[in-house]
Amino acid sequence: MSARPLPRSFAVKSFGCQMNVYDGERMAELLAGQGMVPAADGEAAELVVLNTCHIREKAAEKVYSDIGRLVKASHAAGAAKPLIAVAGCVAQAEGAEIVQRARAVDIVVGPQAYHRLPDLVARAAAGAPALDTDMPAESKFGALPARRKVGPAAFLTVQEGCDKFCTYCVVPYTRGAESSRPWSAILNEARALVDAGACEITLLGQNVNAWTGEDEAGRRQGLDGLIRALDRLPGLARIRYTTSHPNDMSDALIAAHGEIASLMPFLHLPVQSGSDRILKAMNRSHTTDAYLRLIERVRAARPDIAISGDFIVGFPGETDADFAATLALVEAVGHAQAFSFKYSPRPGTPAATMDDQIAPAVMDARLQALQALLNRQQHGFNTASLGRRCTVLIERRGKLPGQMLGKSPWLQSVHIQTDAPIGSLLEVEIVAAGPNSVSGEYRARIAA
Ligand code: SAH
Ligand code: SF4
Ligand code: F3S
């Protein structure tokens, strides 16, 4: 490696979950704080941060094709290769192996160490190795700059890491042990986000409903207490949270759904499978029956709540009967939306070496059947919302002239013809429903 000037422009590309997107925003703020400017769309940046995801093989492999593309593009333009930083969960999982496999990579930085990115950039520019996959005891958050301008719907990480060790999952290894950010740090960041333009905040955590902390008075609080405190924040109209684990869904949090108007009626509560045998092999530590009873209690507290989930098909040992049980559970719940994935064996996880790995063709067929059912449910949910009056937060421009796109309380994408600007909270009537979105008509404007 040879020395080169410090980069003047940067681009951060995030591939992963919402927390990965949040980390990407924080890295961009950090680099901007160093005087670097974000490269304009389509312009080559002198520093490219690939903020990666390790959850499935396809996601993890994507980074290598991206690195190849970056190198090729700079060659074609006759320009110097940009400094390339690999951040995120692949960085944590693969560390120095990344540089062995892709020599063009200059920096490797894990998700708990990215507050040190400016330092790593300086080291790499000086031609020195720059790898940091520490999980330091002191949290990165204290070392990050204040929030700047954000969109109307912002993310806020409140909890990180996971102690659940589902047998298929890399997150406990890439993100480390469960930890909750302190109460005051979260409220301060929420205030800063509102000042920076947010009127909706989604609280993020790998197990966000396991969040715990102490309030100003030293009282122990759970996520419900935190949501109540955020509900009192002037200018914050909507609160969401994701992702939750069924076992951490407390009575108080369920009750909060019936009591706090700013807490949106949407719950992403992954169950993964409808077969108790598979749930056990996954180490999910709950049964399908417990899950269904939980959903009933949530619906009793908030009847219109939209339920979302994640499903894995083709976990090792999954039989046709196990898969049929998953379809039956999906039928029983009725989803407003959901994500479903083919099982992907991940290095270092217990499931990767289990017997009875499922053939790809079987996985394909199961995924297709499950997605067909989930798509029908989503369309059904959208159709059932016809005639509903609800708020819509306008988040961006639509494709058609005069069209804007926003989100309903149930996280549906809503198309609407309006000249209301991004960030407006409108009262809307749902007048048309498609498989993936609905259309609304403007009724009134709401002050956030
Ligand atoms: N912490 C969250 C989600 C983490 S990852 C939770 O527990 O719900 C998001 C989703 O990816 C998981 O819910 C699961 O459905 C899926 N996933 C995780 N590991 C996977 C693997 N090895 N193969 C396929 N899908 C996986
Ligand atoms: Fe992964 Fe399970 Fe933890 Fe979710 S709860 S992050 S699926 S180990
Ligand atoms: Fe991917 Fe890491 Fe998120 S593995 S899903 S970016 S926690």
Side-chain angles (χ1 to χ4, degrees), residues 52 128 168 179 190 198 231 338 387 418 446:
T52 59
Y168 50 81
S179 78
D231 176 58
T418 173
I446 299 159

Side-chain angles (χ1 to χ4, degrees), residues 160-176:
E160 261 198 276
C162 182
D163 298 338
K164 300 278 192 294
F165 290 94
C166 301
T167 53
Y168 50 81
C169 183
V170 293
V171 170
Y173 313 98
T174 63
R175 291 275 169 172

Side-chain angles (χ1 to χ4, degrees), residues 99-355:
V99 189
Q100 310 263 302
R101 207 175 137 183
R103 294 272 161 201
V105 172
D106 304 281
I107 299 166
V108 175
V109 61
Q112 306 305 357
Y114 66 72
H115 53 301
R116 299 172 182 157
L117 190 56
D119 217 36
L120 292 162
V121 171
R123 260 196 271 163
L131 179 135
D132 193 342
T133 51
D134 267 9
M135 294 203 175
E138 94 286 1
S139 123
K140 68 198 168 217
F141 293 106
L144 296 174
R147 303 305 311 258
R148 301 176 317 144
K149 209 176 141 36
V150 293
F155 292 143
L156 170 46
T157 293
V158 302
Q159 183 278 342
E160 261 198 276
C162 182
D163 298 338
K164 300 278 192 294
F165 290 94
C166 301
T167 53
Y168 50 81
C169 183
V170 293
V171 170
Y173 313 98
T174 63
R175 291 275 169 172
E178 270 183 21
S179 78
S180 296
R181 285 182 73 189
W183 175 272
S184 59
I186 295 167
L187 291 181
N188 286 340
E189 189 169 331
R191 261 180 230 114
L193 286 170
V194 171
D195 290 344
C199 71
E200 173 181 302
I201 291 180
T202 301
L203 306 175
L204 300 181
Q206 266 89 29
N207 280 302
V208 70
N209 56 346
W211 183 89
T212 168
E214 277 178 9
D215 65 13
E216 302 89 346
R219 282 175 305 228
R220 181 122 307 263
Q221 296 281 1
L223 187 66
D224 56 293
L226 188 62
I227 290 170
R228 282 177 204 279
L230 289 166
D231 176 58
R232 292 191 287 270
L233 207 71
L236 183 59
R238 291 171 152 199
I239 304 167
R240 303 180 185 276
Y241 64 93
T242 198
T243 297
S244 298
H245 192 284
N247 288 5
D248 292 317
M249 210 60 217
S250 69
D251 292 344
L253 183 56
I254 294 173
H257 274 284
E259 293 165 7
I260 303 173
S262 64
L263 179 58
M264 291 294 102
F266 185 93
L267 179 62
H268 182 66
L269 194 65
V271 59
Q272 315 295 356
S273 166
S275 154
D276 285 341
R277 210 174 61 78
I278 295 296
L279 287 176
K280 191 146 189 264
M282 288 176 162
N283 191 31
R284 287 292 292 183
S285 60
H286 58 75
T287 60
T288 38
D289 193 49
Y291 181 83
L292 289 171
R293 275 183 284 128
L294 182 55
I295 296 292
E296 256 173 44
R297 282 161 56 218
V298 171
R299 282 189 165 139
R302 180 76 204 224
D304 71 332
I305 198 158
I307 303 292
S308 157
D310 291 340
F311 295 90
I312 296 176
V313 301
F315 186 83
E318 186 186 70
T319 61
D320 286 340
D322 292 320
F323 178 63
T326 297
L327 293 178
L329 174 119
V330 169
E331 289 282 9
V333 171
H335 293 77
Q337 53 168 266
F339 301 99
S340 45
F341 312 100
K342 283 186 270 185
Y343 167 71
S344 169
R346 307 305 294 130
T349 60
T353 51
M354 283 179 185
D355 294 338

